[in-house]
Amino acid sequence: MDFTLTPEQLDLQARAEKLGRSFTDEARGWDASDEAPYRDIFDRVGAEGLFGVAMPTEYGGQGGGAIEYLIVVEALFRYAQSWLPPEPVFCTSGPGPSMFLLGDEVVKDKYLRDIVAGRRGCNIALTEPDAGSALTHLATTAVRDGDSYILNGHKSFVTGSNVNDLNATFVRFDGTPGAKGIGAVVVEASMPGVQVRRGPVFIGDRGVHHGEMVLTDVRVPAENVIVGPGQFARLMTAFNLERLHNCGFWLGFSQAAYDEAAAYTQQREAFGKSIIDFQSVYHSLADMWVQIEGLRLLAYRAASTAIDGRFPKLAEVTQAKLFGATIGPQITLKAMELHGGYGVTTDFAIQRIHRDCVTNVVAGGAPAVLRNGVAAGLFPNRRFPQA
């Protein structure tokens, strides 16, 4: 399998790397204040031509695929040392827009071109206070009423809730139990009955709210249905791109931690020499890099399996995401250790990198749930309960 990048992909990577570096100094302030100039970030990403990387040209995208998407977000995560600059790529080309590709032309015509162009932002409203990993137990309801659906429910951890006006909202249609009843519908934040709350304050991934959305008798036109009931497996193919985004996060942030540790250990001296010259230190750096390269192979293999170039296969992307969520925090913690006492001060970036990594361990699927999925693939003749 050849992972050599084409000239076009190398250009994409170079542009994302340059843009990422332009954000590095600002990222510290976003984290400290828990506020970020999101529109400015969004516009700068768009000016570099990184909107709609993996979206079809007929909807204003660039016609690339999952590999191009991974190239861009990995570089932005690594060099910005922040989760925020990749968000405009996620919003214009990630699982939300990809989900729209599964819908009919009415909903695509109504929203998709504006989303891909960055004129409107779309959150993913998936998690609920009592349904995170247990997605098939979600309680938000959509009941048909003429040419509309009436929605009631409570969504939590809605990333971008204070900056985006659209929400791809997972609901249970007409009380149908289990996975068969689940679909997704577009909810606009301005619709009567929609209440957006600040949500909890995170220790990482700071700068934009991960809020809550309460729906009380919200009337949504039937044309806003993205994917209706009875198509759960198809709907979740778009979510596989979320897991690829997670892989890009782990790749980028693991490399950012390595970069910081490699630079610090070459500057810091102890016992009359640079601490990188101690075997325990350079062995640690070697181990970190081998783990990163292992993750790179898994992540790019997953991207290369993408159906229609945009929907990575479940088994491969689950394995890659699980490995990233396992080794990523180990790498950032080791990088903190190599900084000594300075690693836990706000003077150095490594503590922020580590906090962001800890925050993302369960994003896109908790490791225990991912292990269930991997085991199910290894032993297809057995049925392992989620619990």
Side-chain angles (χ1 to χ4, degrees):
M1 188 176 296
D2 185 7
F3 288 117
T4 303
L5 301 185
T6 66
E8 293 77 16
Q9 290 170 336
L10 287 170
D11 175 68
L12 198 62
Q13 184 181 59
R15 285 189 283 129
E17 177 180 331
K18 179 182 177 182
L19 180 63
R21 291 185 188 276
S22 76
F23 287 114
T24 309
D25 292 338
E26 300 169 63
R28 178 178 176 179
W30 304 335
D31 174 77
S33 66
D34 201 15
E35 294 293 338
Y38 187 68
R39 190 66 245 181
D40 175 66
I41 297 169
F42 212 95
D43 290 343
R44 286 161 65 181
V45 173
E48 198 57 54
L50 300 179
F51 285 170
V53 171
M55 296 300 289
T57 56
E58 58 263 40
Y59 297 105
Q62 298 186 32
I67 290 179
E68 285 74 20
Y69 183 92
L70 182 58
I71 287 169
V72 170
V73 296
E74 176 194 350
L76 287 173
F77 279 125
R78 179 180 185 178
Y79 294 104
Q81 297 184 348
S82 169
W83 72 285
L84 278 167
E87 275 296 292
V89 185
F90 182 91
C91 285
T92 61
S93 195
S98 295
M99 198 184 304
F100 278 84
L101 294 176
L102 304 176
D104 61 30
E105 289 303 319
V106 174
V107 74
K108 285 188 281 193
D109 287 341
K110 186 173 182 178
Y111 292 113
L112 190 52
R113 289 177 181 82
D114 281 343
I115 292 171
V116 174
R119 290 187 290 268
R120 303 188 78 171
C122 187
N123 307 314
I124 298 178
L126 177 68
T127 303
E128 298 179 358
D130 296 320
S133 297
L135 175 60
T136 55
H137 290 74
L138 67 80
T140 297
T141 58
V143 178
R144 188 71 185 237
D145 183 38
D147 58 359
S148 301
Y149 283 93
I150 306 299
L151 273 58
N152 284 279
H154 185 172
K155 294 295 181 179
S156 54
F157 301 136
V158 182
T159 298
S161 58
N162 64 321
V163 293
N164 297 321
D165 68 320
L166 303 178
N167 299 273
T169 306
F170 283 61
V171 298
R172 181 172 304 285
F173 283 94
D174 296 316
T176 304
K180 292 181 179 180
I182 295 173
V185 60
V186 181
V187 175
E188 300 191 21
S190 61
M191 289 176 170
V194 177
Q195 181 187 12
V196 178
R197 300 174 180 171
R198 169 65 172 85
V201 177
F202 278 29
I203 63 168
D205 285 1
R206 292 161 58 81
V208 168
H209 299 174
H210 308 272
E212 299 180 354
M213 183 173 67
V214 180
L215 308 172
T216 306
D217 294 332
V218 178
R219 182 174 292 274
V220 177
E223 66 185 21
N224 280 26
V225 172
I226 304 171
V227 174
Q231 304 179 67
F232 183 73
R234 182 167 173 264
L235 175 60
M236 294 309 289
T237 61
F239 200 68
N240 289 344
L241 192 55
E242 164 106 5
R243 291 182 175 172
L244 191 69
H245 185 85
N246 300 143
C247 292
F249 172 89
W250 292 117
L251 262 179
F253 266 71
S254 295
Q255 289 173 97
Y258 172 87
D259 294 340
E260 291 295 312
Y264 181 81
T265 55
Q266 292 179 79
Q267 299 170 39
R268 178 70 171 175
E269 292 190 355
F271 302 101
K273 61 181 179 180
S274 298
I275 63 174
I276 196 172
D277 291 326
F278 292 94
Q279 189 179 67
S280 65
V281 173
Y282 63 75
H283 277 189
S284 293
L285 292 168
D287 287 342
M288 291 162 69
W289 192 253
V290 170
Q291 289 177 314
I292 290 167
E293 287 298 288
L295 174 58
R296 187 186 313 283
L297 289 173
L298 285 172
Y300 277 84
R301 183 190 69 163
S304 72
T305 69
I307 300 166
D308 296 331
R310 298 182 184 88
F311 303 106
K313 289 186 177 178
L314 177 61
E316 285 81 357
V317 79
T318 300
Q319 293 166 25
K321 196 275 180 185
L322 174 60
F323 187 64
T326 302
I327 61 101
Q330 296 174 12
I331 289 172
T332 56
L333 185 59
K334 175 57 71 172
M336 286 182 68
E337 178 188 326
L338 293 177
H339 279 71
Y342 289 111
V344 291
T345 70
T346 56
D347 293 340
F348 286 79
I350 189 59
Q351 52 78 31
R352 172 167 47 82
I353 293 170
H354 182 63
R355 283 189 288 107
D356 281 4
C357 283
V358 170
T359 302
N360 274 276
V361 167
V362 300
V369 174
L370 300 181
R371 291 185 180 99
N372 285 348
V374 172
L378 292 173
F379 304 98
N381 295 325
R382 292 184 176 273
R383 184 173 180 83
F384 298 119
Q386 287 292 312

